[in-house]
Amino acid sequence: MLVSGIKSRPVYGTLAPNEQARLNIVFADGEGALAVLAMKPAAPTAFWARTHVIYVAGGSAPQGHFAKLQALGTHSCHEAPTIASALPRLKALLGAARMGTQLYLAGTEPLMGEGMRVAGEYGIRHQSIRTEHRGSLARRVQCVHCKGITESVTTNIVPCAHCGLHLLVRDHYSRRVGAFQGVNIDAEAPGQLPKVEEVFK
Amino acid sequence: MAVRPQSIKVRVAEVVPVTPLVKRFRFVPLAGGLLPAFSGGAHTVVEMHDGAVVRRNPYSLMGSPDELDSYQISVRKVEDSRGGSVFMHERVKAGDEMAVSPPVNLFAIAWDARKHLLLAGGIGITPFVSQMIQLDRSEMPFELHYCIRNDDRGPYWRDLQQRYGRRVQVHRAESGLGMDVEALLVMQPLGTHLFVCGPGPMIEGVYATARGLGWPEENLHSERFQAPATGAAFDVVLRRSSKRVHVGTHESLLEAIEAADVEAPYLCRGGACGQCETGVLACDGRLIHNDHYLSAEERAAGRKIMPCVSRFEGRELVLDL
Ligand code: FES
């Protein structure tokens, strides 16, 4: 059984433009692009002119969301192949930013987890970030034993990509690491596992 | 619910005039030894026995959080107030015995901030004195902008400038060079937390500017030392204690409740923290809300009151106390 209802589990909202902000930074992946595009009716042209977009297409590449993001008329619109490769640009934007900058995260949990972690390094509290979850529920999991990170986990139980222990994926989320906690489940009787199910699709 | 904290008996070790309107008081524990620890921005509530009236006013602790053999506060004399500051200025002498509360901090440093931007107006400088000691020790970047009327009226600005150099900027209103809040806020690096302490309109003005520039609420901190408003006297019924209490013109509802020996919680005594929130069981008249805590809906509903600053006008008020 998964442990549910734990407070550390992030709660995501719906993106809305912050018109007071003097600068907007949007970091999105996959179907998250749709959440960004959905702000269009509420956001004046001037809003997009103050906005930087960083987008990771991932599995959604064939849908051509990036072209639609480019058509928004943003100050800049950048595409990166992976979340990790997008982070230097995100850091560069945050590093140069001043107060009055609004960060938006849209898409998968790994993207939002990484976005929040990086934002924290620049002194942005997670409450001030606007988020919207779209697409896969796949989780980024940290093994509590070896601290290694296993990406894109969709099952309740997963072998740690680093130490190989069978991990139960908990709802406990670390903002610092940007990952859910994975705890060894068969320590007493190795190999005896509950049913492995795909739960984070 | 917090019970009224145990007060600490102290002796007034020293009273020092700082400006024509500000005096500094130093308290040492009667029992000897050390006082409870506090962090930068904390306040203590000083108990004043003025004849039959007991006043409790909050004052920022402005000594170093590392030196606990005494507490220091600064009091600005406000002539036509309810008399707490006048009492401190005119009646309290070195050698007197008084009581103070353990420290409470409702204006603590933001440890995740990348920079602290501190804005003080007049006597609002006091919580920053201890905050800056702590920020400086922790090597955390900060900048103080201190608004005073003129050189003679602003307490401590010379000492602070000497201690912190360029990190302390003084703005003198009479010289026509007031502080340009917008220009200041626009250039702050990401991760800056704003702290403001001063008169109500200053706090409101700074907040409005910050919000207009897209600053998130999480990064805005304020402390207002609002003396409870005076007003017409009224009676209040405390249902659970079965008491009827008279609230005098110069007395707050909270002080009157305390004088009747009824335990009522509090922390800030300035209508900001929410600790004293009390249920209104019946109200035939008008609640005069002077706090900054209840929402507009809560005020409209009329089911709650903050006795530290708010009052009542009308025939009958029954509280859940
Ligand atoms: S004591 Fe803080 S609001 Fe009344």
Side-chain angles (χ1 to χ4, degrees):
Chain A
M1 251 306 286
L2 284 164
V3 193
S4 254
I6 295 182
K7 278 267 176 49
S8 59
R9 174 100 205 252
V11 182
Y12 305 113
T14 306
L15 290 195
N18 177 352
E19 289 194 46
Q20 256 77 51
R22 299 169 64 82
L23 184 77
N24 301 285
I25 300 175
V26 175
F27 184 32
D29 71 347
E31 302 300 298
L34 299 175
V36 181
L37 293 167
M39 286 199 282
K40 228 172 128 181
T45 325
F47 170 83
W48 298 111
R50 293 193 298 266
T51 301
H52 293 277
V53 173
I54 309 173
Y55 180 62
V56 180
S60 307
Q63 262 122 112
H65 294 322
F66 184 59
K68 284 179 227 142
L69 292 173
Q70 279 179 309
L72 288 171
T74 56
H75 194 275
S76 81
C77 193
H78 221 81
E79 195 177 16
T82 59
I83 294 174
S85 66
L87 297 183
R89 180 161 177 84
L90 178 64
K91 290 184 184 181
L93 288 175
L94 291 174
R98 297 188 172 167
M99 285 304 291
T101 300
Q102 176 70 51
L103 178 64
Y104 307 79
L105 302 173
T108 62
E109 284 200 302
L111 175 120
M112 290 190 284
E114 280 295 271
M116 286 194 199
R117 187 182 60 74
V118 169
E121 289 172 13
Y122 291 85
I124 302 181
R125 289 194 178 166
H126 63 90
Q127 302 96 316
S128 10
I129 303 174
R130 301 196 175 182
T131 57
E132 183 167 338
H133 182 259
R134 292 270 183 142
S136 164
L137 285 167
R139 291 182 170 187
R140 202 168 175 255
V141 176
Q142 183 183 45
C143 171
V144 300
H145 313 283
C146 79
K147 306 293 174 209
I149 300 277
T150 305
E151 300 280 356
S152 306
V153 177
T154 57
T155 49
N156 58 338
I157 292 160
V158 69
C160 171
H162 301 260
C163 69
L165 283 177
H166 284 108
L167 304 177
L168 169 70
V169 179
R170 299 186 61 216
D171 273 352
H172 183 90
Y173 183 80
S174 159
R175 286 208 165 85
R176 194 178 51 78
V177 194
F180 288 88
Q181 193 181 66
V183 189
N184 185 210
I185 190 166
D186 58 350
E188 270 149 45
Q192 275 192 36
L193 296 175
K195 197 155 158 258
V196 178
E197 286 171 293
E198 185 150 64
V199 284
F200 315 119
K201 263 183 270 188
Chain B
M1 195 152 64
V3 193
R4 191 184 312 168
Q6 200 69 49
S7 61
I8 306 160
K9 299 245 179 304
V10 293
R11 185 187 314 283
V12 180
E14 167 178 59
V15 182
V16 184
V18 184
T19 70
L21 288 178
V22 175
K23 279 185 179 178
R24 183 171 67 237
F25 298 80
R26 200 159 64 82
F27 302 120
V28 294
L30 259 193
L34 295 181
L35 289 157
F38 66 96
S39 51
H43 71 258
T44 182
V45 175
V46 177
E47 238 175 80
M48 300 166 215
H49 292 263
D50 184 2
V53 179
V54 183
R55 287 204 188 81
R56 291 185 176 83
N57 284 10
Y59 295 104
S60 295
L61 290 168
M62 46 174 302
S64 164
D66 297 330
E67 287 157 22
L68 297 172
D69 48 347
S70 69
Y71 282 166
Q72 295 186 60
I73 61 164
S74 289
V75 180
R76 180 179 191 274
K77 190 170 175 182
V78 186
E79 276 308 344
D80 41 54
S81 71
R82 311 170 314 126
S85 68
V86 174
F87 178 86
M88 290 300 290
H89 268 255
E90 287 174 3
R91 307 272 295 279
V92 176
K93 303 273 173 296
D96 287 1
E97 286 181 16
M98 295 188 85
V100 302
S101 78
V104 170
N105 200 342
L106 301 173
F107 200 49
I109 283 169
W111 291 104
D112 61 340
R114 293 173 83 218
K115 175 180 174 183
H116 280 70
L117 178 67
L118 315 174
L119 307 186
I123 193 66
I125 189 66
T126 55
F128 295 127
V129 175
S130 60
Q131 273 197 356
M132 285 190 287
I133 294 174
Q134 216 172 352
L135 289 169
D136 188 46
R137 290 249 163 97
S138 319
E139 294 178 11
M140 290 173 74
F142 72 86
E143 195 177 301
L144 170 78
H145 291 262
Y146 183 15
C147 305
I148 58 177
R149 182 169 306 177
N150 57 43
D151 283 357
D152 301 330
R153 288 285 290 275
Y156 306 116
W157 68 268
R158 283 188 188 87
D159 309 345
L160 294 172
Q161 248 179 359
Q162 216 160 50
R163 211 181 301 167
Y164 302 113
R166 301 252 309 265
R167 287 178 287 176
V168 171
Q169 306 273 328
V170 178
H171 304 267
R172 297 165 180 85
E174 274 182 6
S175 68
L177 290 173
M179 178 170 59
D180 184 345
V181 180
E182 177 154 353
L184 184 64
L185 296 193
V186 164
M187 56 186 235
Q188 296 307 317
L190 200 57
T192 301
H193 278 247
L194 170 75
F195 287 72
V196 52
C197 182
M202 173 182 181
I203 296 176
E204 278 132 37
V206 167
Y207 265 54
T209 306
R211 287 180 181 135
L213 294 171
W215 283 57
E217 292 299 313
E218 293 81 38
N219 294 48
L220 305 178
H221 313 260
S222 68
E223 176 124 291
R224 65 177 84 218
F225 287 112
Q226 182 194 5
T230 54
F234 59 96
D235 276 10
V236 55
V237 174
L238 310 179
R239 170 80 46 86
R240 277 189 280 130
S241 335
S242 325
K243 285 189 180 172
R244 170 173 283 271
V245 174
H246 181 73
V247 184
T249 303
H250 292 284
E251 199 177 18
S252 74
L253 175 51
L254 178 60
E255 285 167 346
I257 293 167
E258 287 169 340
D261 276 330
V262 173
E263 289 266 327
Y266 68 80
L267 282 178
C268 71
R269 301 182 81 94
C273 74
Q275 191 70 35
C276 67
E277 183 181 297
T278 301
V280 173
L281 300 176
C283 169
D284 179 4
R286 193 170 69 89
L287 298 173
I288 304 166
H289 295 290
N290 294 317
D291 63 278
H292 300 271
Y293 181 78
L294 294 178
S295 66
E297 297 82 65
E298 285 172 316
R299 283 168 187 227
R303 310 288 304 273
K304 290 171 182 171
I305 188 168
M306 313 307 288
C308 64
V309 291
S310 297
R311 305 182 71 87
F312 168 75
E313 214 173 63
R315 291 205 20 234
E316 171 128 292
L317 175 66
V318 184
L319 295 183
D320 188 17
L321 268 176

